Amino acid sequence: MNPEIAIGYKSPSQVVRRITESWCSEHLYCSSCDSPRIEQTPANSHAVDFQCLKCSAVYQLKAGKRWDERRVPDAGYEAMMRALRSDSVPNLLVMQYTENWMVQNLLLVPSFFFSSASVEKRPPLGPNARRAGWVGCNILLSNIAPVGKIRLVSNGSIAPVEAVRKNYERIKPLANVRADIRGWTLDVLNIIQKINSTVFDLSTIYSFEEELSVIYPNNNNVRAKIRQQLQVLRDLNFVAFEGKGIYRLLP
């Protein structure tokens, strides 16, 4: 990245934003289509930093020197929950850069891979804060299924563009699941990937019933919901039903 592009900026956060966004404008492509670039949105565009002019996909960038694949600080909690309910969350780009302004890691989480389980409510700001009472949130990357975290740069190594787009296209059918039930689909998919076994049975997924009950306290029939989401994942070719309660995770 070119740090000289931020000469004249005094705020450290503005410096980081200017340098990282400039790099993205110059080097990033759209993962959702074949466009070779994404355009920076006007300053102060709410929650959106870039947009593809070809397919209208939008992106938000979170950049920092530290790398934490468990959580990423985000903006207001209520705003994020409204975006989830209205299915208007942008694609998330999580960047780690080095002291000498090299891109070390760059992760893409598609817009349709967020659920309420991936949003953590932070405590409200104290009474002495400039925005006293404001409640922010964190994005829990650890609660997003591995297949929904696409690596563009990993430890300084750049992933081939074709591979990134192929991975995005493979999971894109999830965007067609209704937003009000997609959270269940994503959370069941995350559980399947957490058990780290290609072949699994229904009882193994049932063992996570309590965990899902915490996420969805108003649902009194979690096991039926699990079976329903396994059918959704089967129809989307994420899993195959082998018979007698046995399933197989597809590549």
Side-chain angles (χ1 to χ4, degrees):
M1 290 183 279
N2 178 20
E4 293 184 1
I5 202 167
I7 291 176
Y9 288 83
K10 296 181 180 180
S11 165
S13 62
Q14 288 182 332
V15 169
V16 170
R17 187 176 181 87
R18 173 67 173 147
I19 294 172
T20 56
E21 288 187 355
S22 175
W23 181 89
C24 289
S25 295
E26 185 175 350
H27 295 286
L28 278 191
Y29 51 88
C30 184
S31 302
S32 180
C33 73
D34 61 359
S35 176
R37 61 180 295 130
I38 53 178
E39 301 291 337
Q40 192 166 357
T41 56
N44 300 318
S45 296
H46 180 65
V48 174
D49 299 313
F50 305 95
Q51 183 173 20
C52 173
L53 299 184
K54 184 172 183 178
C55 73
S56 299
V58 291
Y59 298 81
Q60 183 182 36
L61 175 66
K62 299 290 183 183
K65 289 182 183 178
R66 295 183 59 188
W67 186 243
D68 187 351
E69 291 199 38
R70 295 171 301 169
R71 57 168 53 85
V72 177
D74 198 41
Y77 174 76
E78 289 300 332
M80 181 59 177
M81 296 309 293
R82 284 196 302 271
L84 272 177
R85 289 190 291 268
S86 63
D87 201 17
S88 57
V89 178
N91 295 294
L92 177 65
L93 294 164
V94 185
M95 176 194 287
Q96 179 198 27
Y97 57 88
T98 64
E99 290 284 347
N100 59 342
W101 297 104
M102 297 290 289
V103 179
Q104 183 71 8
N105 288 290
L106 184 59
L107 193 70
L108 167 68
V109 181
S111 59
F112 46 85
F113 247 87
F114 293 92
S115 71
S116 58
S118 62
V119 182
E120 178 182 55
K121 188 177 184 178
R122 295 204 304 258
L125 295 181
N128 296 325
R130 184 172 60 86
R131 302 174 65 186
W134 181 82
V135 178
C137 70
N138 297 314
I139 302 299
L140 296 179
L141 296 176
S142 57
N143 283 357
I144 294 175
V147 72
K149 292 178 282 193
I150 302 173
R151 299 179 188 276
L152 280 67
V153 179
S154 184
N155 293 321
S157 178
I158 303 170
V161 177
E162 298 79 8
V164 169
R165 286 179 171 151
K166 184 177 180 180
N167 288 338
Y168 193 101
E169 191 65 25
R170 170 68 182 90
I171 60 179
K172 201 172 182 178
L174 278 163
N176 297 324
V177 179
R178 276 195 356 243
D180 59 332
I181 64 171
R182 192 189 305 140
W184 271 99
T185 313
L186 296 171
D187 294 335
V188 171
L189 177 60
N190 190 32
I191 286 170
I192 293 170
Q193 293 210 285
K194 267 200 296 192
I195 61 179
N196 200 28
S197 176
T198 302
V199 178
F200 58 94
D201 60 19
L202 194 54
S203 62
T204 302
I205 308 302
Y206 281 166
S207 67
F208 291 87
E209 181 178 1
E210 185 175 346
E211 181 179 318
L212 289 167
S213 295
V214 172
I215 301 171
Y216 303 100
N218 297 323
N219 190 290
N220 298 317
N221 201 348
V222 173
R223 292 195 173 195
K225 203 71 176 177
I226 288 172
R227 293 193 299 272
Q228 179 194 61
Q229 297 315 308
L230 286 171
Q231 291 175 6
V232 172
L233 290 169
R234 179 200 63 193
D235 294 342
L236 294 175
N237 292 318
F238 281 88
V239 300
F241 180 53
E242 302 290 329
K244 297 183 179 180
I246 305 296
Y247 293 83
R248 178 167 49 89
L249 180 65
L250 296 176

